Amino acid sequence: MAILSEDQTMLRDMAREWADNEAPVAAFRKTRDAAPPEGYDAALWQAQAEMGWAGVLVPEAHGGAGMGFLSLGLVLEQLGRNLVASPLAATAAATSALMLGGSQAQQAEWLPRIAAGEIVATLAIDDGPHFAPDRIATRVEAGQLTGTKAFVAEGDSATLFVVAATDGLYLVSGEQGVTRNTRKLADARSHAEIVFTDAPAQKLTEGGEQLLRQVTDRAAAATAAEMLGMAESAFAQVNDYLKQRVQFGQPLSTFQALQHRMARMFTELELMRSAVEGALEAIDAKRSDVDQAVSLAKAIAGDTLNLVSREMVQLYGGVGMTDEYDAGFYLKRARVLEAMWGNAAWHRERFAKLNGY
Amino acid sequence: MASAPEIDSATDPMATFRGEARAWLAANFPPELKGKENPMSAVDGPDEASDAERRWKAAMGDKGWGVPTWPSQYGGGGLSRAEARVLQEEMARAGAWNPIGGMGVMMFGPTLLEYGSEAQKAEHIPAIVRGEVRWCQGYSEPNAGSDLANIQTSAIDAGDHYIVNGQKTWTSGGQWADKCFALVRTDKGHKHAGISFLLIDMDAPGVETKPIRLISGQSPFCETFFADVKVAKANLVGAEGQGWEIGTRLLQHERSSLSGGGSASRLFAGTPLGQMALDYRGADDAGRLSDADLRLRIVRHEMDVRAFALTLRRAALESKSNAGPSATSSIMKNVGARITQDRAELAIEVMGMQGLGWEGEGFSEDELAQTRTWLWGKAVSIYGGSTEIQNNVIAKRILGMTEAK
């Protein structure tokens, strides 16, 4: 765990307590079964907003807490542990786009509403099923945006979209020229194809040429924090299970072959935590190598969560295959987050380029 | 020469000590030794020190700053952790290095400070502090490696002394050592409770060493034989039968020193692998390393290195509690070993046949060194408790995996 300020410690403890008491995995299961159109439990999101989480990144001048990415990561990690279906990550990614690229007027219009939890915001970047920020066909003419964005997180409920077009990022409100087509993925969360047809769009004019990269890097770091929480929790559940499950007359936890797999996974988790916290801290410190730190975090998070989620099902054995147990939830959400904002291969490729080989 | 930055007593709470350390280093560190760190400081080797090196070692030994946080009553620096950090910063600034090392510092000293009698501490610690006595470790035996509790070297009670018989192996630096801290069996009836921790003079009659030649061609290890060696009972550390407890505590110190001890910068020393690969293998039209598979394996390795460095840094920041080495040292040891070996394997692959040179014409010094580094590196996942043993420690101590229902 990174060295936290008193405020950050409080924030983390509060998030952990809330997630354990109010939003355990059973709550996610209920939401999945009820399948509300927005893809999350609106009352739970309201409660999160009331605790100030929607405004963690938002500067105090606009009604937020201005606490930065490490703080956001602490909350997302706790939500990830229990697979809380929350639009917080998507909203925070859009928030960072506004903070980096928005004019004063745009920030004044949107940030207070985000901080108050009045709206869900999201990024709409990819035209297809893979993260490919260099292949965008969406275009804007005379302030009207046209194009199709695939698999937009929280696309079913978002009322503010930060959209990538050929010449930069644009703000589009969900009111006019926006068609939503729900796409049901394995993780039972909200993803939608969004078709923009002559939708009124306002360009994010600040931030320069690097804006798209900086925004998607921040989205990737936030995602990695959620993945860290998932991997930690999945691992802890497996560890508990191995101590309870008796086979051949003794608990599975006494078998060395299993002990070594767990020790190896635990070691990888330690590296994952360091890499993820390193990226969040690099963003907060405005370091010049944020891109490398994020690629490190997202690649390692992807590989480690992939390993832990597979082992979770395998080590649970047959019951890990049943819907009644939670292991499948972690497996299914893991793959979605692995693919989001660049999978491990994408980030390894970029890491090599950034290092000149 | 650039002048030293001013020490600001308004903003630096350690300003007084920093000034003292800086002045002392300026007066005592021979400038010609800048950056010439003794590569054998980890395992005391043959002594071929220059005059300047001897002067530097004596100065640091007298000051006690080679072991800055050890108690001053035994000659240690007696510094707080904060002061020790400042000293480290000032040494780095001056290009100075610590000439006091070896197993006495890394493993035996901390353990003796915890378990030794007053008389033992007064006898041995000052000599370690001054780097005057070289210690070796008498743990492993031919049939007691990872199963260390199976040691058979016996110490038979003979009144005021023990008679020691048996054989140790993998005694690093045994051929150069003055003394040996050894695990011996004082009771055949009890496996763990029959082990004691004994200090043996390497020049005592009946002690013999025989260097072991390794696949790398080097011989840093010995077999050590004990034939009716007489050891005074005053050299028993702790109680008879307490050796297992003391010995495992010492292993924790060993592990944390083997993990790199927090000096992640060492991992970044030398030419980056990516650059080395471009030099040897060339780039494709897009400027990428031409072997795509090798390129990705280098990326994975470099990411591992960075994540490890971040983890060492995180562990250092988190260990505010002043607690000694813990089970997390097992994690560090395993990752450190993996990184060391991966790098060496990748490096020889990058170099092709040039990376497999043994001696003679046609190879650069770096290339020949790489061959030896690669082969020697196979030891790091075996010594100090193998990777498998560390995984046992992680599973049992951290994950609590032996617990029955």
Side-chain angles (χ1 to χ4, degrees):
Chain A
M1 182 60 60
I3 303 303
L4 304 180
S5 70
E6 211 172 302
D7 284 350
Q8 287 172 323
T9 306
M10 272 172 54
L11 180 70
R12 180 202 56 194
D13 293 349
M14 182 169 79
R16 188 166 187 129
E17 202 181 311
W18 180 83
D20 284 350
N21 293 333
E22 310 298 327
V25 183
F28 168 71
R29 182 182 291 276
K30 252 165 86 179
T31 306
R32 181 200 68 167
D33 293 343
E38 59 270 30
Y40 54 84
D41 182 327
L44 286 181
W45 171 234
Q46 204 49 49
Q48 294 170 57
E50 277 163 21
M51 290 183 285
W53 299 348
V56 164
L57 291 181
V58 175
E60 288 180 41
H62 292 298
M67 287 179 77
F69 266 82
L70 183 60
S71 301
L72 172 70
L74 293 170
V75 175
L76 290 174
E77 183 186 331
Q78 305 313 316
L79 298 181
R81 280 176 56 244
N82 289 358
L83 300 171
V84 180
S86 166
L88 178 60
T91 300
T95 302
S96 75
L98 271 163
M99 286 169 60
L100 288 165
S103 65
Q104 285 189 2
Q106 287 166 333
Q107 293 184 359
E109 181 182 358
W110 293 106
L111 290 178
R113 298 181 62 192
I114 288 174
E118 285 171 24
I119 59 165
V120 164
T122 191
L123 300 182
I125 308 293
D126 290 316
D127 293 3
H130 292 285
F131 180 59
D134 52 347
R135 267 179 277 154
I136 287 165
T138 300
R139 61 185 200 284
V140 177
E141 276 164 30
Q144 295 190 315
L145 184 144
T146 297
T148 298
K149 293 299 181 183
F151 302 106
V152 174
E154 314 301 343
D156 296 293
S157 65
T159 50
L160 175 65
F161 297 91
V162 175
V163 188
T166 48
D167 65 336
L169 290 176
Y170 286 82
L171 293 179
V172 177
S173 74
E175 290 152 17
Q176 215 184 314
V178 173
T179 310
R180 305 163 199 259
N181 302 312
T182 293
R183 292 286 180 266
K184 290 188 175 164
L185 292 183
D187 67 349
R189 293 282 299 269
S190 164
H191 306 275
E193 178 193 74
I194 309 291
V195 182
F196 298 99
T197 314
D198 296 333
Q202 272 186 13
K203 191 167 188 190
L204 294 176
T205 51
E206 312 298 313
E209 283 186 7
Q210 302 299 315
L211 181 62
L212 173 61
R213 178 183 59 80
Q214 290 182 336
V215 168
T216 52
D217 273 348
R218 279 155 182 74
T223 303
E226 185 177 343
M227 294 164 83
L228 174 62
M230 285 175 62
E232 259 197 345
S233 171
F235 179 80
Q237 290 176 49
V238 175
N239 196 27
D240 287 346
Y241 181 75
L242 293 180
K243 289 175 190 172
Q244 284 157 20
R245 172 74 172 164
V246 173
Q247 294 279 270
F248 308 106
Q250 46 191 328
L252 288 177
S253 65
T254 60
F255 292 100
Q256 194 184 47
L258 302 186
Q259 291 181 353
H260 284 196
R261 275 159 75 176
M262 293 295 283
R264 171 71 199 256
M265 256 193 282
F266 185 77
T267 303
E268 299 303 323
L269 277 169
E270 285 293 302
L271 298 179
M272 177 186 187
R273 171 171 290 285
S274 307
V276 171
E277 290 181 354
L280 297 167
E281 287 174 333
I283 292 170
D284 283 340
K286 299 187 169 63
R287 280 216 324 258
S288 59
D289 63 344
V290 162
D291 44 10
Q292 287 201 43
V294 167
S295 278
L296 177 72
K298 188 61 169 54
I300 288 186
D303 284 350
T304 306
L305 182 59
N306 187 289
L307 171 73
V308 175
S309 61
R310 286 162 68 168
E311 288 284 57
M312 187 184 197
V313 172
Q314 177 67 22
L315 292 170
Y316 265 77
V319 296
M321 294 291 300
T322 66
D323 187 69
E324 188 191 339
Y325 279 66
D326 295 335
F329 291 165
Y330 286 84
L331 182 73
K332 289 183 273 191
R333 179 65 173 163
R335 294 303 172 277
V336 173
L337 295 187
E338 282 170 53
M340 219 176 243
W341 313 123
N343 64 13
W346 191 93
H347 282 283
R348 279 194 289 266
E349 173 64 30
R350 185 173 75 158
F351 186 89
K353 271 191 202 146
L354 289 170
N355 282 284
Y357 60 93
Chain B
M1 203 172 118
S3 63
E6 292 297 314
I7 297 170
D8 187 349
S9 51
T11 57
D12 184 358
M14 304 297 293
T16 310
F17 179 74
R18 190 180 294 280
E20 188 190 325
R22 191 173 293 186
W24 188 86
L25 288 167
N28 289 281
F29 179 63
E32 66 262 39
L33 294 183
K34 236 181 187 183
K36 291 188 178 160
E37 187 161 3
N38 170 18
M40 294 300 281
S41 62
V43 177
D44 285 339
D47 199 354
E48 292 163 8
S50 67
D51 269 359
E53 282 168 339
R54 264 193 280 275
R55 266 187 289 129
W56 173 228
K57 187 171 174 179
M60 277 289 270
D62 289 343
K63 189 80 178 165
W65 279 1
V67 281
T69 58
W70 288 15
S72 50
Q73 67 184 112
Y74 306 114
L79 302 184
S80 67
R81 295 215 157 224
E83 287 169 330
R85 257 198 306 280
V86 169
L87 174 62
Q88 204 175 16
E89 286 163 18
E90 288 302 316
M91 283 179 54
R93 214 189 124 265
W97 40 273
N98 189 349
I100 309 290
M103 294 186 186
V105 169
M106 291 188 301
M107 304 177 220
F108 176 60
T111 311
L112 193 72
L113 283 170
E114 202 172 325
Y115 288 97
S117 68
E118 221 23 69
Q120 288 168 336
K121 287 189 243 183
E123 181 185 353
H124 299 298
I125 300 291
I128 296 172
V129 169
R130 291 195 302 272
E132 289 170 355
V133 170
R134 286 184 285 197
W135 285 87
C136 65
Q137 178 179 40
Y139 271 34
S140 294
E141 297 182 6
N143 285 311
S146 291
D147 182 13
L148 190 58
N150 193 37
I151 58 151
Q152 301 300 328
T153 296
S154 66
I156 306 291
D157 193 328
D160 65 344
H161 62 274
Y162 294 103
I163 299 293
V164 177
N165 277 289
Q167 181 194 344
K168 294 289 176 183
T169 190
W170 304 122
T171 330
S172 315
Q175 63 271 57
W176 307 301
D178 304 297
K179 289 171 188 293
C180 175
F181 52 91
L183 294 179
V184 294
R185 182 158 295 288
T186 42
D187 180 352
K188 286 201 158 76
H190 298 91
K191 195 174 182 188
H192 291 84
I195 294 173
S196 298
F197 194 95
L198 199 60
L199 312 181
I200 304 174
D201 279 343
M202 291 298 281
D203 57 5
V207 179
E208 228 183 292
T209 60
K210 190 176 144 205
I212 301 170
R213 186 179 158 97
L214 299 182
I215 53 177
S216 61
Q218 296 161 324
S219 297
F221 294 123
C222 284
E223 291 178 288
T224 303
F225 300 90
F226 302 100
D228 291 333
V229 179
K230 203 172 148 181
V231 181
K233 277 202 173 159
N235 286 325
L236 178 73
V237 177
E240 209 171 86
Q242 203 188 354
W244 184 253
E245 176 193 334
I246 300 171
T248 46
R249 179 70 178 148
L250 185 140
L251 286 177
Q252 291 183 3
H253 289 290
E254 178 177 23
R255 247 170 250 140
S256 37
S257 63
L258 292 178
S259 70
S263 69
S265 59
R266 201 166 291 187
L267 295 165
F268 296 106
T271 313
L273 272 174
Q275 187 54 52
M276 197 198 281
L278 282 178
D279 294 346
Y280 275 88
R281 307 292 287 271
D284 67 11
D285 293 344
R288 290 179 302 202
L289 180 59
S290 56
D291 180 336
D293 178 67
L294 175 65
R295 176 168 175 265
L296 279 177
R297 283 185 288 133
I298 290 174
V299 175
R300 283 177 186 274
H301 168 72
E302 293 291 342
M303 285 188 158
D304 232 14
V305 172
R306 298 220 190 169
F308 183 51
L310 285 168
T311 305
L312 289 175
R313 184 175 145 264
R314 184 162 68 83
L317 288 171
E318 286 168 14
S319 69
K320 283 195 285 189
S321 60
N322 237 8
S326 67
T328 54
S329 55
S330 292
I331 295 166
M332 304 302 187
K333 202 226 156 201
N334 276 359
V335 180
R338 171 169 107 198
I339 284 173
T340 301
Q341 294 179 345
D342 285 352
R343 179 177 165 99
E345 289 284 352
L346 285 166
I348 59 164
E349 182 174 341
V350 161
M351 292 176 172
M353 293 296 190
Q354 278 314 113
L356 292 167
W358 189 253
E359 59 189 12
E361 298 291 301
F363 303 99
S364 71
E365 230 173 85
D366 282 352
E367 287 165 350
L368 289 174
Q370 194 55 58
T371 310
R372 310 289 169 142
T373 301
W374 161 60
L375 290 166
W376 163 249
K378 297 306 172 199
V380 301
S381 55
I382 301 170
Y383 66 44
S386 65
T387 295
E388 288 72 22
I389 290 292
Q390 307 300 346
N391 278 337
N392 287 348
V393 171
I394 294 167
K396 294 189 172 87
R397 289 223 211 111
I398 304 180
L399 305 180
M401 287 190 75
T402 45
E403 280 168 29
K405 198 176 178 182

